[in-house]
Every structure is written in C-alpha cells, then in structure tokens.
Amino acid sequence: MRRVLREAHAHIFQLGRSLSMLELGGCGSAEQMLDAIADRAKTLGEDEWLLAQGARPQGWDNPSWPGRAQLDQAGGGRPVVAWCFDYHAMVASSSALTHARIDASTTIESGVVELDEAGEPSGLLLEHAALRMWNSVPEPDDAQRRELVLAACRHLIGLGFSEVHDLKAQPWLGTVLSELLAAGEIDMRFELFPLVPDLKASIEAQRAGFDERVRIAGGKCFVDGTLNSRTAWMLHPYADGRPEHPSGVAMMTTKQIDNALLACKEHGLPLASHAIGDAAVRAVLDAIERNGCERTRCRIEHAELIDAADLRRFVELGVIASLQPCHLLADMEALRRAVPDRLDRVLPIRSLLKSGLAPGVDLLFGSDVPIVRADAEDSIQAAIHRRRAGMSESESINPGEAIDEETAWACFAP
C-alpha cells in the first residue's frame, strides 16, 4: 500500500533550482569534484554561470575544498559557485567573487571569507558570506521561477508527499503555489514559514488571496550554522573546531531570538527555529519559556544534538521537534570528527518519544531537501538502524536512540 506522507521541512524553490544544478554528491575527493566541474563547463556558454551543489568534503579522506585557482581552471574562467550539501558553505571562483564584490578586505557579520596563505580569498565562504555570494547569482525570471516551483512539487508528489512545509518560504511562493493549484497542475497542501523579516509581506500576500490549501504557518529564523562547517552552536568546544569559533557560531543574540518570537506572536503565529547544536536548542527553549510562548506550537528544526537536561523541555513547553534523521547518514564522518565525546546526544529520537512527544503530532520528520534528497526511506533507514545501508551494526551512531519502523513512518503522517 502506498503511504500518504508529509514532508515537514523542505525548500521548494531551491529544490526546483537544484534539479538542474551539477550534483557533486557522488564525488569522493576534491579532484573528482574539479573533474565534474570541468565536464559541465564544456556544455555551457562562455559567460554562463556554473552552479553546483551536494559536495561532501567531510566524507572525503582529505576533507579539504579545492581552491579558487583550481575552480578558475576547471571552470574555464567562468563564474563557478559550488555549495556544500548543507547549504551553509560554498566555494566560488575568482570571477564569481569579483561579481559579488568579495575580496580580502570584506567583512560579513556571521560570515567567514577564508583567506589563503597569501592573504587572498581561498574561495571558501561560510554562512552569511556564502549567502552574500548566492544572492549575487542571477535570478530566474518569473516564468522560469514558476516552472522551477512546479518541477519541485511534481518531484515531491512522485515521492508520495501530499503535504509540504517550506521552511524558508519566499514572500511570492504562496501566490505561485496557489496559481499552480488553481490551474490543476498540482494537488497538495502547503504550510509556509517565511523568514521573520519577510513575515509581514507574506501575510499580506495571503490576504490578497491564497488557495485554501496554502497558508502562512509561522516565521523562520536561523540560530546557528551546521556541523559540517563547524558553525552549529555547541555547549562545549568541538574536537576540531575553528580557532575563531571553537564552539560554533551563535547566529542570533538572546535579544534577537526574543524579538523573532514576539514578532511571530504578534501575528498569532509560532516561530520555527533552525537550531542544530545543543547550545542553539537550549537558547531557543530558554527564549520560549522567557517570553511566554509556551503552547504556541513553536518548532525547533533539526535539533541534531540535544543536551539530556533539555529533552523534557520540549513537552513541558509544547515545542514541536521537527527532525531530519536522514542527516545522520550524511553527517556520520563529521560527527565522529567533531563531537566524538557527544555521540550519545545525537538525534535522541527514542528519548524524545519517551518524554511524551507524539509521532506525527509534535515529533515530525522531513528531509531539508535539497540539502539531502527527499526520499522518506532515508530517514526511515536512519531512525531504525542509525547507520547507512550496508554498514555493520558496530558503525551505528547512538543506536540506543533507534525506533521501530511503524513509529518512524508515523512521524511522516500528515
């Protein structure tokens, strides 16, 4: 019997764009990545941008990105932008950096422009520096945008999803989805969580007339970064953290988290917070308690590490845990290198259930597509076995937090 599923964490427009980008997930080294870029460059026009995604340096024997000069050579001098699979780090070629006006003197709040031994940009950009670069890439026009959204929706429908939550919804997305629904080109339900600064514009767009199957469901904020970039905000330092931020990066101050919660509360909506590290998770829980946002259906997205002292607080504060177990499959090497002393805190799904969260109600599963693929089977594999298919049981990460298959599928139920 075919299951009806809810994708609780997706990025619809970016998924649409990613379907035509060069996929680097199969590359096992910087050399293979450069070869793939060189092959794609041969198919492009002279000044056409080369966009790539899915690189996983933490899975390579040598987890070092290729440098800017290597990208220049492989890309034939054209602008090249290649995302890490987690979309929090990228490498860019010289012409791309010049286009974005990023040089050795550029400083970006909550961002890193890595410099090489000569004091010039190496090409590696982290967090808001990567966003600065990406925001300079030429945008698709309105017609292309509609087709990309349609392609993403059809892709998700093909995987069995009838409901999708978009966790960084653009203010225009609800209108485009409503047009596609009205035209009969798709039949799904959507809950949209725009960034908090975009919340007012998104609500105004909804008032102008959305299809009844589309609604603004809350606001979104980013409290920290990611494990692979060592920017997820931890209570204790990484085993191999960056000197400038050994415990990761707090992307928001206490006051900024409070303000985001209150901005959503003003509209009668919950806040969905990107919080991967245990310090980020605690900061959000503290803010919810401090601002009287209990039982407002606030969500914490990812929560890849949770301190034992905070497990019961999800239930006590009425907070939804929106998890992506499939990330475990991609993050295994990063976890072992970065937090070998805290693997027992990684994705404590069983403990969250034992604390009182209910699967499909306040414990939700999604993928974060296109960060990783949206196939629900990946999260089922991770939740049940805590390792990649084909690995031995001894390679499992935190196997005591494994759950049964029926419960895992219930976390996808709409």
Side-chain angles (χ1 to χ4, degrees):
M1 181 181 70
R2 185 176 176 83
R3 299 177 186 271
V4 178
L5 307 173
R6 169 186 53 213
E7 166 58 85
H9 192 120
H11 303 285
I12 295 171
F13 179 52
Q14 188 56 37
L15 169 59
R17 294 191 79 175
S18 74
L19 294 174
S20 61
M21 290 167 64
L22 173 63
E23 176 55 49
L24 300 171
C27 298
S29 65
E31 291 73 24
Q32 289 182 16
M33 175 178 165
L34 290 166
D35 287 344
I37 288 171
D39 287 343
R40 175 59 68 92
K42 295 172 185 175
T43 71
L44 301 177
E46 183 177 351
D47 298 320
E48 191 173 352
W49 284 68
L50 193 158
L51 307 180
Q53 66 151 21
R56 290 188 59 251
Q58 288 296 316
W60 303 344
D61 290 337
N62 176 8
S64 298
W65 288 93
R68 172 172 52 90
Q70 293 172 295
L71 292 174
D72 294 345
Q73 182 175 359
R78 66 172 44 73
V80 176
V81 170
W83 279 109
C84 177
F85 80 95
D86 63 13
Y87 275 72
H88 283 251
M90 67 160 55
V91 284
S93 66
S94 297
S95 55
L97 291 167
T98 299
H99 179 84
R101 298 182 179 178
I102 295 175
D103 58 29
S105 65
T106 302
T107 58
I108 300 170
E109 184 178 359
S110 298
V112 175
V113 179
E114 185 183 76
L115 302 182
D116 59 23
E117 293 180 355
E120 293 299 320
S122 69
L124 179 61
L125 307 169
L126 303 179
E127 300 300 344
H128 285 189
L131 288 177
R132 163 86 72 87
M133 180 70 255
W134 184 247
N135 288 338
S136 78
V137 175
E139 279 277 314
D141 61 29
D142 289 349
Q144 292 170 324
R145 193 162 65 182
R146 184 185 189 279
E147 289 306 308
L148 292 171
V149 171
L150 176 58
C153 290
R154 287 177 170 168
H155 179 81
L156 293 168
I157 290 170
L159 292 170
F161 295 107
S162 64
E163 179 180 322
V164 179
H165 299 181
D166 190 298
L167 269 296
K168 193 183 173 183
Q170 297 82 359
W172 51 261
L173 182 60
T175 300
V176 171
L177 291 171
S178 295
E179 291 171 355
L180 294 171
L181 288 162
E185 295 185 72
I186 55 173
D187 183 13
M188 310 174 75
R189 302 193 71 84
F190 299 93
E191 294 198 357
L192 308 183
F193 293 78
L195 293 174
V196 171
D198 293 332
L199 187 56
K200 184 176 180 181
S202 300
I203 291 172
E204 289 174 354
Q206 180 174 249
R207 287 173 180 157
F210 280 3
D211 186 280
E212 63 179 10
R213 291 163 285 184
V214 182
R215 75 180 184 99
I216 303 300
K220 171 77 182 292
C221 69
F222 285 82
V223 179
D224 68 347
T226 67
L227 282 165
N228 285 269
S229 298
R230 305 301 190 267
T231 51
W233 181 19
M234 298 295 180
L235 292 170
H236 306 287
Y238 289 101
D240 60 350
R242 291 177 171 272
E244 65 270 26
H245 44 73
S247 298
V249 177
M251 305 287 285
M252 299 177 72
T253 65
T254 296
K255 183 176 181 180
Q256 288 171 330
I257 300 172
D258 288 348
N259 289 342
L261 278 164
L262 295 174
C264 292
K265 193 175 181 181
E266 182 180 344
H267 294 287
L269 294 171
L271 177 68
S273 302
H274 167 115
I276 288 179
D278 50 10
V281 171
R282 179 170 293 177
V284 176
L285 292 170
D286 287 348
I288 290 169
E289 187 171 11
R290 185 169 53 247
N291 289 284
C293 294
E294 299 94 336
R295 309 296 161 187
T296 59
R297 306 295 289 167
C298 284
R299 297 165 49 139
I300 294 182
E301 307 294 323
H302 311 307
E304 199 156 349
L305 274 82
I306 305 174
D307 190 79
D310 293 319
L311 286 168
R312 287 202 59 83
R313 298 181 73 196
F314 281 81
V315 171
E316 292 166 354
L317 298 173
V319 176
I320 293 171
S322 173
L323 308 183
Q324 298 75 46
C326 50
H327 281 206
L328 179 70
L329 308 182
D331 288 348
M332 293 182 75
E333 291 83 5
L335 287 164
R336 290 195 174 104
R337 288 173 177 149
V339 289
D341 56 331
R342 282 159 275 177
L343 295 180
D344 60 336
R345 302 182 196 173
V346 173
L347 286 173
I349 303 172
R350 178 183 287 273
S351 294
L352 288 169
L353 289 166
K354 288 178 67 176
S355 75
L357 295 185
V361 179
D362 39 28
L363 179 60
L364 312 180
F365 282 177
S367 68
D368 205 10
V369 68
I371 306 305
V372 295
R373 66 179 193 167
D375 193 331
E377 293 281 359
D378 291 347
S379 281
I380 301 301
Q381 168 72 26
I384 296 172
H385 301 291
R386 309 290 298 196
R387 62 187 185 277
R388 297 173 192 146
M391 282 185 166
S392 69
E393 190 172 347
S394 64
E395 296 179 274
S396 302
I397 287 184
N398 204 7
E401 291 292 343
I403 61 175
D404 63 86
E405 183 173 357
E406 182 181 354
T407 302
W409 280 115
C411 294
F412 277 109

